[in-house]
Amino acid sequence: MTARVNITNPALAAPARLFMNRSSRVIVLITMIAAMSIVDLYLTILYITHTGMNEVNPLARAMMEYQSPAILGVWKLATVALGGGILAFIRHKRSAELGAWAGCMILVMLMVHWVAYIEEHARISDGPIQVNALGDPNWVYFETGQLRPTTRIP
């Protein structure tokens, strides 16, 4: 049984109809997942090419061992495209919507983590970060030669 909502304001009718349909909700959520994933990729590449960072995802860390932002970017975009494609293919099913909501919420939590990370990074200098990271197997740094590791990130 589906609930019918009568919206009399025409300005609100179109967006409300968009979210009444499961298929449309899944597509919107996939779009949000893709957008947040691109932001995550940008920030990851920014930090690993400047000061390094602690990467706890073993798959991402394995891709970073190639020391190539391009390989990391292709891997990230391919995994997001694969996951989004699967969700889009089954977008009419309840499981697709649940998966899309879960993915979106996980990425929202990741964005909150990035905000805290950026604020903490701005508060301290790069020297102690790099010294404390020595010997940590999760620490990742790209030696690209194009960016200096002492460059401050705003």
Side-chain angles (χ1 to χ4, degrees), residues 14-36 84 87-88 91 96-97 99-101 103-105 107-108:
R17 276 194 305 272
L18 176 68
F19 286 100
M20 296 297 278
N21 179 334
R22 172 175 287 141
S23 179
S24 298
R25 284 192 303 267
V26 170
I27 296 300
V28 168
L29 291 167
I30 291 169
T31 304
M32 292 171 60
I33 289 169
M36 288 186 281
L87 290 173
R91 68 184 173 273
E97 184 172 9
W101 276 111
C104 198
M105 291 298 108
L107 279 159
V108 165

PDB file of all heavy atoms in Angstrom, residues 14-36 84 87-88 91 96-97 99-101 103-105 107-108:
ATOM      1  N   ALA A  14       6.703  19.066  -7.918  1.00  0.00           N
ATOM      2  CA  ALA A  14       7.665  18.316  -8.730  1.00  0.00           C
ATOM      3  C   ALA A  14       8.741  17.641  -7.872  1.00  0.00           C
ATOM      4  O   ALA A  14       8.988  16.444  -8.031  1.00  0.00           O
ATOM      5  CB  ALA A  14       8.290  19.215  -9.787  1.00  0.00           C
ATOM      6  N   PRO A  15       9.399  18.364  -6.936  1.00  0.00           N
ATOM      7  CA  PRO A  15      10.391  17.677  -6.098  1.00  0.00           C
ATOM      8  C   PRO A  15       9.767  16.582  -5.227  1.00  0.00           C
ATOM      9  O   PRO A  15      10.379  15.545  -5.009  1.00  0.00           O
ATOM     10  CB  PRO A  15      10.979  18.789  -5.226  1.00  0.00           C
ATOM     11  CG  PRO A  15      10.703  20.045  -5.962  1.00  0.00           C
ATOM     12  CD  PRO A  15       9.432  19.809  -6.724  1.00  0.00           C
ATOM     13  N   ALA A  16       8.555  16.805  -4.765  1.00  0.00           N
ATOM     14  CA  ALA A  16       7.896  15.801  -3.929  1.00  0.00           C
ATOM     15  C   ALA A  16       7.605  14.542  -4.741  1.00  0.00           C
ATOM     16  O   ALA A  16       7.790  13.426  -4.259  1.00  0.00           O
ATOM     17  CB  ALA A  16       6.618  16.359  -3.334  1.00  0.00           C
ATOM     18  N   ARG A  17       7.174  14.705  -5.979  1.00  0.00           N
ATOM     19  CA  ARG A  17       6.909  13.547  -6.836  1.00  0.00           C
ATOM     20  C   ARG A  17       8.192  12.776  -7.121  1.00  0.00           C
ATOM     21  O   ARG A  17       8.181  11.562  -7.212  1.00  0.00           O
ATOM     22  CB  ARG A  17       6.253  13.991  -8.148  1.00  0.00           C
ATOM     23  CG  ARG A  17       4.756  14.156  -8.059  1.00  0.00           C
ATOM     24  CD  ARG A  17       4.129  14.259  -9.443  1.00  0.00           C
ATOM     25  NE  ARG A  17       4.698  15.301 -10.260  1.00  0.00           N
ATOM     26  CZ  ARG A  17       4.278  16.576 -10.277  1.00  0.00           C
ATOM     27  NH1 ARG A  17       3.277  16.950  -9.516  1.00  0.00           N
ATOM     28  NH2 ARG A  17       4.855  17.461 -11.053  1.00  0.00           N
ATOM     29  N   LEU A  18       9.289  13.512  -7.232  1.00  0.00           N
ATOM     30  CA  LEU A  18      10.576  12.863  -7.498  1.00  0.00           C
ATOM     31  C   LEU A  18      10.913  11.865  -6.397  1.00  0.00           C
ATOM     32  O   LEU A  18      11.385  10.774  -6.661  1.00  0.00           O
ATOM     33  CB  LEU A  18      11.685  13.918  -7.617  1.00  0.00           C
ATOM     34  CG  LEU A  18      13.105  13.401  -7.802  1.00  0.00           C
ATOM     35  CD1 LEU A  18      13.239  12.738  -9.165  1.00  0.00           C
ATOM     36  CD2 LEU A  18      14.095  14.517  -7.662  1.00  0.00           C
ATOM     37  N   PHE A  19      10.658  12.239  -5.145  1.00  0.00           N
ATOM     38  CA  PHE A  19      11.013  11.377  -4.028  1.00  0.00           C
ATOM     39  C   PHE A  19       9.928  10.378  -3.654  1.00  0.00           C
ATOM     40  O   PHE A  19      10.121   9.556  -2.775  1.00  0.00           O
ATOM     41  CB  PHE A  19      11.433  12.214  -2.819  1.00  0.00           C
ATOM     42  CG  PHE A  19      12.784  12.820  -3.008  1.00  0.00           C
ATOM     43  CD1 PHE A  19      12.931  14.135  -3.400  1.00  0.00           C
ATOM     44  CD2 PHE A  19      13.926  12.057  -2.835  1.00  0.00           C
ATOM     45  CE1 PHE A  19      14.184  14.679  -3.598  1.00  0.00           C
ATOM     46  CE2 PHE A  19      15.183  12.587  -3.033  1.00  0.00           C
ATOM     47  CZ  PHE A  19      15.312  13.904  -3.412  1.00  0.00           C
ATOM     48  N   MET A  20       8.787  10.425  -4.331  1.00  0.00           N
ATOM     49  CA  MET A  20       7.743   9.438  -4.080  1.00  0.00           C
ATOM     50  C   MET A  20       8.039   8.133  -4.827  1.00  0.00           C
ATOM     51  O   MET A  20       7.502   7.092  -4.506  1.00  0.00           O
ATOM     52  CB  MET A  20       6.368   9.976  -4.516  1.00  0.00           C
ATOM     53  CG  MET A  20       5.911  11.185  -3.726  1.00  0.00           C
ATOM     54  SD  MET A  20       5.675  10.812  -1.997  1.00  0.00           S
ATOM     55  CE  MET A  20       4.053  10.103  -2.065  1.00  0.00           C
ATOM     56  N   ASN A  21       8.906   8.185  -5.794  1.00  0.00           N
ATOM     57  CA  ASN A  21       9.219   7.047  -6.650  1.00  0.00           C
ATOM     58  C   ASN A  21      10.556   6.434  -6.208  1.00  0.00           C
ATOM     59  O   ASN A  21      11.572   7.117  -6.160  1.00  0.00           O
ATOM     60  CB  ASN A  21       9.298   7.562  -8.091  1.00  0.00           C
ATOM     61  CG  ASN A  21       9.626   6.511  -9.090  1.00  0.00           C
ATOM     62  OD1 ASN A  21      10.255   5.509  -8.783  1.00  0.00           O
ATOM     63  ND2 ASN A  21       9.208   6.747 -10.310  1.00  0.00           N
ATOM     64  N   ARG A  22      10.578   5.143  -5.879  1.00  0.00           N
ATOM     65  CA  ARG A  22      11.801   4.472  -5.409  1.00  0.00           C
ATOM     66  C   ARG A  22      12.934   4.595  -6.429  1.00  0.00           C
ATOM     67  O   ARG A  22      14.078   4.875  -6.088  1.00  0.00           O
ATOM     68  CB  ARG A  22      11.525   3.005  -5.114  1.00  0.00           C
ATOM     69  CG  ARG A  22      12.819   2.239  -4.825  1.00  0.00           C
ATOM     70  CD  ARG A  22      12.587   0.814  -4.415  1.00  0.00           C
ATOM     71  NE  ARG A  22      12.057   0.823  -3.067  1.00  0.00           N
ATOM     72  CZ  ARG A  22      11.112   0.020  -2.627  1.00  0.00           C
ATOM     73  NH1 ARG A  22      10.574  -0.866  -3.428  1.00  0.00           N
ATOM     74  NH2 ARG A  22      10.702   0.083  -1.387  1.00  0.00           N
ATOM     75  N   SER A  23      12.620   4.379  -7.679  1.00  0.00           N
ATOM     76  CA  SER A  23      13.633   4.421  -8.727  1.00  0.00           C
ATOM     77  C   SER A  23      14.327   5.788  -8.759  1.00  0.00           C
ATOM     78  O   SER A  23      15.551   5.871  -8.852  1.00  0.00           O
ATOM     79  CB  SER A  23      12.988   4.115 -10.075  1.00  0.00           C
ATOM     80  OG  SER A  23      13.940   4.175 -11.096  1.00  0.00           O
ATOM     81  N   SER A  24      13.547   6.840  -8.645  1.00  0.00           N
ATOM     82  CA  SER A  24      14.111   8.195  -8.645  1.00  0.00           C
ATOM     83  C   SER A  24      14.958   8.445  -7.404  1.00  0.00           C
ATOM     84  O   SER A  24      16.022   9.065  -7.482  1.00  0.00           O
ATOM     85  CB  SER A  24      13.003   9.238  -8.730  1.00  0.00           C
ATOM     86  OG  SER A  24      12.289   9.097  -9.923  1.00  0.00           O
ATOM     87  N   ARG A  25      14.502   7.966  -6.258  1.00  0.00           N
ATOM     88  CA  ARG A  25      15.283   8.138  -5.022  1.00  0.00           C
ATOM     89  C   ARG A  25      16.630   7.448  -5.143  1.00  0.00           C
ATOM     90  O   ARG A  25      17.662   7.995  -4.745  1.00  0.00           O
ATOM     91  CB  ARG A  25      14.520   7.580  -3.820  1.00  0.00           C
ATOM     92  CG  ARG A  25      13.385   8.448  -3.334  1.00  0.00           C
ATOM     93  CD  ARG A  25      12.871   7.977  -1.976  1.00  0.00           C
ATOM     94  NE  ARG A  25      12.430   6.595  -1.966  1.00  0.00           N
ATOM     95  CZ  ARG A  25      11.180   6.191  -2.183  1.00  0.00           C
ATOM     96  NH1 ARG A  25      10.237   7.074  -2.459  1.00  0.00           N
ATOM     97  NH2 ARG A  25      10.876   4.905  -2.125  1.00  0.00           N
ATOM     98  N   VAL A  26      16.638   6.258  -5.700  1.00  0.00           N
ATOM     99  CA  VAL A  26      17.900   5.522  -5.847  1.00  0.00           C
ATOM    100  C   VAL A  26      18.850   6.282  -6.770  1.00  0.00           C
ATOM    101  O   VAL A  26      20.040   6.404  -6.477  1.00  0.00           O
ATOM    102  CB  VAL A  26      17.646   4.077  -6.342  1.00  0.00           C
ATOM    103  CG1 VAL A  26      18.948   3.389  -6.719  1.00  0.00           C
ATOM    104  CG2 VAL A  26      16.903   3.271  -5.290  1.00  0.00           C
ATOM    105  N   ILE A  27      18.344   6.820  -7.860  1.00  0.00           N
ATOM    106  CA  ILE A  27      19.192   7.581  -8.790  1.00  0.00           C
ATOM    107  C   ILE A  27      19.759   8.833  -8.113  1.00  0.00           C
ATOM    108  O   ILE A  27      20.949   9.147  -8.264  1.00  0.00           O
ATOM    109  CB  ILE A  27      18.414   7.943 -10.079  1.00  0.00           C
ATOM    110  CG1 ILE A  27      18.017   6.681 -10.846  1.00  0.00           C
ATOM    111  CG2 ILE A  27      19.205   8.903 -10.951  1.00  0.00           C
ATOM    112  CD1 ILE A  27      19.187   5.814 -11.292  1.00  0.00           C
ATOM    113  N   VAL A  28      18.930   9.535  -7.343  1.00  0.00           N
ATOM    114  CA  VAL A  28      19.417  10.715  -6.616  1.00  0.00           C
ATOM    115  C   VAL A  28      20.490  10.312  -5.611  1.00  0.00           C
ATOM    116  O   VAL A  28      21.532  10.974  -5.494  1.00  0.00           O
ATOM    117  CB  VAL A  28      18.247  11.456  -5.926  1.00  0.00           C
ATOM    118  CG1 VAL A  28      18.757  12.501  -4.941  1.00  0.00           C
ATOM    119  CG2 VAL A  28      17.337  12.103  -6.957  1.00  0.00           C
ATOM    120  N   LEU A  29      20.276   9.224  -4.897  1.00  0.00           N
ATOM    121  CA  LEU A  29      21.267   8.753  -3.927  1.00  0.00           C
ATOM    122  C   LEU A  29      22.567   8.321  -4.607  1.00  0.00           C
ATOM    123  O   LEU A  29      23.662   8.604  -4.103  1.00  0.00           O
ATOM    124  CB  LEU A  29      20.685   7.614  -3.090  1.00  0.00           C
ATOM    125  CG  LEU A  29      19.570   8.017  -2.123  1.00  0.00           C
ATOM    126  CD1 LEU A  29      18.860   6.788  -1.584  1.00  0.00           C
ATOM    127  CD2 LEU A  29      20.113   8.874  -0.994  1.00  0.00           C
ATOM    128  N   ILE A  30      22.464   7.666  -5.749  1.00  0.00           N
ATOM    129  CA  ILE A  30      23.668   7.276  -6.504  1.00  0.00           C
ATOM    130  C   ILE A  30      24.443   8.527  -6.925  1.00  0.00           C
ATOM    131  O   ILE A  30      25.680   8.564  -6.850  1.00  0.00           O
ATOM    132  CB  ILE A  30      23.298   6.420  -7.733  1.00  0.00           C
ATOM    133  CG1 ILE A  30      22.771   5.058  -7.302  1.00  0.00           C
ATOM    134  CG2 ILE A  30      24.499   6.253  -8.668  1.00  0.00           C
ATOM    135  CD1 ILE A  30      22.145   4.256  -8.437  1.00  0.00           C
ATOM    136  N   THR A  31      23.734   9.548  -7.351  1.00  0.00           N
ATOM    137  CA  THR A  31      24.379  10.807  -7.743  1.00  0.00           C
ATOM    138  C   THR A  31      25.100  11.441  -6.553  1.00  0.00           C
ATOM    139  O   THR A  31      26.231  11.929  -6.691  1.00  0.00           O
ATOM    140  CB  THR A  31      23.338  11.775  -8.323  1.00  0.00           C
ATOM    141  OG1 THR A  31      22.678  11.136  -9.415  1.00  0.00           O
ATOM    142  CG2 THR A  31      23.970  13.064  -8.803  1.00  0.00           C
ATOM    143  N   MET A  32      24.466  11.401  -5.384  1.00  0.00           N
ATOM    144  CA  MET A  32      25.106  11.947  -4.185  1.00  0.00           C
ATOM    145  C   MET A  32      26.336  11.125  -3.803  1.00  0.00           C
ATOM    146  O   MET A  32      27.374  11.687  -3.417  1.00  0.00           O
ATOM    147  CB  MET A  32      24.099  11.995  -3.036  1.00  0.00           C
ATOM    148  CG  MET A  32      22.989  13.009  -3.249  1.00  0.00           C
ATOM    149  SD  MET A  32      21.649  12.895  -2.044  1.00  0.00           S
ATOM    150  CE  MET A  32      22.509  13.173  -0.525  1.00  0.00           C
ATOM    151  N   ILE A  33      26.245   9.816  -3.931  1.00  0.00           N
ATOM    152  CA  ILE A  33      27.389   8.940  -3.657  1.00  0.00           C
ATOM    153  C   ILE A  33      28.543   9.278  -4.598  1.00  0.00           C
ATOM    154  O   ILE A  33      29.697   9.394  -4.166  1.00  0.00           O
ATOM    155  CB  ILE A  33      26.982   7.455  -3.784  1.00  0.00           C
ATOM    156  CG1 ILE A  33      26.082   7.042  -2.618  1.00  0.00           C
ATOM    157  CG2 ILE A  33      28.207   6.551  -3.881  1.00  0.00           C
ATOM    158  CD1 ILE A  33      25.421   5.693  -2.799  1.00  0.00           C
ATOM    159  N   ALA A  34      28.246   9.450  -5.870  1.00  0.00           N
ATOM    160  CA  ALA A  34      29.287   9.775  -6.852  1.00  0.00           C
ATOM    161  C   ALA A  34      29.935  11.118  -6.536  1.00  0.00           C
ATOM    162  O   ALA A  34      31.172  11.246  -6.584  1.00  0.00           O
ATOM    163  CB  ALA A  34      28.698   9.766  -8.259  1.00  0.00           C
ATOM    164  N   ALA A  35      29.126  12.112  -6.194  1.00  0.00           N
ATOM    165  CA  ALA A  35      29.667  13.438  -5.893  1.00  0.00           C
ATOM    166  C   ALA A  35      30.574  13.396  -4.660  1.00  0.00           C
ATOM    167  O   ALA A  35      31.683  13.954  -4.668  1.00  0.00           O
ATOM    168  CB  ALA A  35      28.525  14.435  -5.687  1.00  0.00           C
ATOM    169  N   MET A  36      30.118  12.730  -3.606  1.00  0.00           N
ATOM    170  CA  MET A  36      30.950  12.649  -2.393  1.00  0.00           C
ATOM    171  C   MET A  36      32.198  11.810  -2.630  1.00  0.00           C
ATOM    172  O   MET A  36      33.256  12.083  -2.055  1.00  0.00           O
ATOM    173  CB  MET A  36      30.128  12.103  -1.225  1.00  0.00           C
ATOM    174  CG  MET A  36      29.106  13.099  -0.697  1.00  0.00           C
ATOM    175  SD  MET A  36      28.240  12.547   0.788  1.00  0.00           S
ATOM    176  CE  MET A  36      27.038  11.422   0.065  1.00  0.00           C
ATOM    177  N   GLY A  84      27.572   1.944  -8.332  1.00  0.00           N
ATOM    178  CA  GLY A  84      26.435   2.752  -8.778  1.00  0.00           C
ATOM    179  C   GLY A  84      25.677   2.089  -9.911  1.00  0.00           C
ATOM    180  O   GLY A  84      24.447   2.146  -9.967  1.00  0.00           O
ATOM    181  N   LEU A  87      23.502  -0.685  -8.450  1.00  0.00           N
ATOM    182  CA  LEU A  87      22.332  -0.102  -7.793  1.00  0.00           C
ATOM    183  C   LEU A  87      21.337   0.458  -8.811  1.00  0.00           C
ATOM    184  O   LEU A  87      20.120   0.318  -8.645  1.00  0.00           O
ATOM    185  CB  LEU A  87      22.751   0.984  -6.808  1.00  0.00           C
ATOM    186  CG  LEU A  87      23.467   0.507  -5.549  1.00  0.00           C
ATOM    187  CD1 LEU A  87      23.984   1.694  -4.744  1.00  0.00           C
ATOM    188  CD2 LEU A  87      22.573  -0.375  -4.703  1.00  0.00           C
ATOM    189  N   ALA A  88      21.849   1.092  -9.867  1.00  0.00           N
ATOM    190  CA  ALA A  88      20.960   1.632 -10.898  1.00  0.00           C
ATOM    191  C   ALA A  88      20.233   0.509 -11.636  1.00  0.00           C
ATOM    192  O   ALA A  88      19.053   0.642 -11.980  1.00  0.00           O
ATOM    193  CB  ALA A  88      21.756   2.487 -11.881  1.00  0.00           C
ATOM    194  N   ARG A  91      17.413  -0.675  -9.407  1.00  0.00           N
ATOM    195  CA  ARG A  91      16.854   0.477  -8.708  1.00  0.00           C
ATOM    196  C   ARG A  91      15.388   0.335  -8.303  1.00  0.00           C
ATOM    197  O   ARG A  91      14.909   1.058  -7.443  1.00  0.00           O
ATOM    198  CB  ARG A  91      17.046   1.742  -9.531  1.00  0.00           C
ATOM    199  CG  ARG A  91      16.238   1.788 -10.798  1.00  0.00           C
ATOM    200  CD  ARG A  91      16.558   3.029 -11.623  1.00  0.00           C
ATOM    201  NE  ARG A  91      15.904   2.993 -12.905  1.00  0.00           N
ATOM    202  CZ  ARG A  91      16.399   2.423 -13.987  1.00  0.00           C
ATOM    203  NH1 ARG A  91      17.582   1.851 -13.929  1.00  0.00           N
ATOM    204  NH2 ARG A  91      15.737   2.431 -15.119  1.00  0.00           N
ATOM    205  N   ALA A  96      17.982  -2.232  -3.395  1.00  0.00           N
ATOM    206  CA  ALA A  96      18.772  -1.180  -4.042  1.00  0.00           C
ATOM    207  C   ALA A  96      18.645   0.128  -3.271  1.00  0.00           C
ATOM    208  O   ALA A  96      19.637   0.838  -3.068  1.00  0.00           O
ATOM    209  CB  ALA A  96      18.322  -0.984  -5.486  1.00  0.00           C
ATOM    210  N   GLU A  97      17.438   0.431  -2.849  1.00  0.00           N
ATOM    211  CA  GLU A  97      17.253   1.669  -2.092  1.00  0.00           C
ATOM    212  C   GLU A  97      17.966   1.596  -0.750  1.00  0.00           C
ATOM    213  O   GLU A  97      18.627   2.564  -0.341  1.00  0.00           O
ATOM    214  CB  GLU A  97      15.769   1.965  -1.876  1.00  0.00           C
ATOM    215  CG  GLU A  97      15.565   3.300  -1.187  1.00  0.00           C
ATOM    216  CD  GLU A  97      14.113   3.735  -1.107  1.00  0.00           C
ATOM    217  OE1 GLU A  97      13.212   2.942  -1.436  1.00  0.00           O
ATOM    218  OE2 GLU A  97      13.899   4.887  -0.702  1.00  0.00           O
ATOM    219  N   GLY A  99      20.595  -0.206  -0.045  1.00  0.00           N
ATOM    220  CA  GLY A  99      22.020  -0.114  -0.339  1.00  0.00           C
ATOM    221  C   GLY A  99      22.453   1.302  -0.670  1.00  0.00           C
ATOM    222  O   GLY A  99      23.522   1.756  -0.241  1.00  0.00           O
ATOM    223  N   ALA A 100      21.619   2.011  -1.418  1.00  0.00           N
ATOM    224  CA  ALA A 100      21.942   3.395  -1.785  1.00  0.00           C
ATOM    225  C   ALA A 100      21.927   4.297  -0.550  1.00  0.00           C
ATOM    226  O   ALA A 100      22.798   5.155  -0.394  1.00  0.00           O
ATOM    227  CB  ALA A 100      20.971   3.902  -2.845  1.00  0.00           C
ATOM    228  N   TRP A 101      20.929   4.101   0.322  1.00  0.00           N
ATOM    229  CA  TRP A 101      20.889   4.891   1.561  1.00  0.00           C
ATOM    230  C   TRP A 101      22.106   4.576   2.427  1.00  0.00           C
ATOM    231  O   TRP A 101      22.723   5.483   2.995  1.00  0.00           O
ATOM    232  CB  TRP A 101      19.598   4.622   2.345  1.00  0.00           C
ATOM    233  CG  TRP A 101      18.431   5.438   1.898  1.00  0.00           C
ATOM    234  CD1 TRP A 101      17.310   5.000   1.254  1.00  0.00           C
ATOM    235  CD2 TRP A 101      18.268   6.856   2.050  1.00  0.00           C
ATOM    236  NE1 TRP A 101      16.462   6.050   1.004  1.00  0.00           N
ATOM    237  CE2 TRP A 101      17.024   7.198   1.479  1.00  0.00           C
ATOM    238  CE3 TRP A 101      19.045   7.863   2.599  1.00  0.00           C
ATOM    239  CZ2 TRP A 101      16.543   8.508   1.448  1.00  0.00           C
ATOM    240  CZ3 TRP A 101      18.572   9.170   2.567  1.00  0.00           C
ATOM    241  CH2 TRP A 101      17.340   9.483   1.999  1.00  0.00           C
ATOM    242  N   GLY A 103      25.096   3.436   1.474  1.00  0.00           N
ATOM    243  CA  GLY A 103      26.277   4.026   0.846  1.00  0.00           C
ATOM    244  C   GLY A 103      26.338   5.533   1.040  1.00  0.00           C
ATOM    245  O   GLY A 103      27.398   6.093   1.330  1.00  0.00           O
ATOM    246  N   CYS A 104      25.204   6.174   0.913  1.00  0.00           N
ATOM    247  CA  CYS A 104      25.143   7.630   1.076  1.00  0.00           C
ATOM    248  C   CYS A 104      25.470   8.026   2.516  1.00  0.00           C
ATOM    249  O   CYS A 104      26.239   8.956   2.754  1.00  0.00           O
ATOM    250  CB  CYS A 104      23.765   8.129   0.660  1.00  0.00           C
ATOM    251  SG  CYS A 104      23.725   9.889   0.332  1.00  0.00           S
ATOM    252  N   MET A 105      24.915   7.299   3.482  1.00  0.00           N
ATOM    253  CA  MET A 105      25.178   7.614   4.891  1.00  0.00           C
ATOM    254  C   MET A 105      26.648   7.380   5.253  1.00  0.00           C
ATOM    255  O   MET A 105      27.250   8.161   5.987  1.00  0.00           O
ATOM    256  CB  MET A 105      24.280   6.783   5.808  1.00  0.00           C
ATOM    257  CG  MET A 105      22.810   7.155   5.745  1.00  0.00           C
ATOM    258  SD  MET A 105      22.508   8.862   6.260  1.00  0.00           S
ATOM    259  CE  MET A 105      22.123   9.622   4.694  1.00  0.00           C
ATOM    260  N   LEU A 107      29.168   7.658   3.230  1.00  0.00           N
ATOM    261  CA  LEU A 107      29.945   8.759   2.649  1.00  0.00           C
ATOM    262  C   LEU A 107      29.700  10.078   3.374  1.00  0.00           C
ATOM    263  O   LEU A 107      30.607  10.905   3.467  1.00  0.00           O
ATOM    264  CB  LEU A 107      29.664   8.880   1.155  1.00  0.00           C
ATOM    265  CG  LEU A 107      30.476   7.858   0.355  1.00  0.00           C
ATOM    266  CD1 LEU A 107      29.868   7.593  -1.000  1.00  0.00           C
ATOM    267  CD2 LEU A 107      31.912   8.323   0.216  1.00  0.00           C
ATOM    268  N   VAL A 108      28.512  10.295   3.900  1.00  0.00           N
ATOM    269  CA  VAL A 108      28.277  11.488   4.727  1.00  0.00           C
ATOM    270  C   VAL A 108      29.166  11.431   5.969  1.00  0.00           C
ATOM    271  O   VAL A 108      29.792  12.434   6.335  1.00  0.00           O
ATOM    272  CB  VAL A 108      26.782  11.625   5.110  1.00  0.00           C
ATOM    273  CG1 VAL A 108      26.585  12.629   6.237  1.00  0.00           C
ATOM    274  CG2 VAL A 108      25.952  12.026   3.894  1.00  0.00           C
TER     275      VAL A 108
END
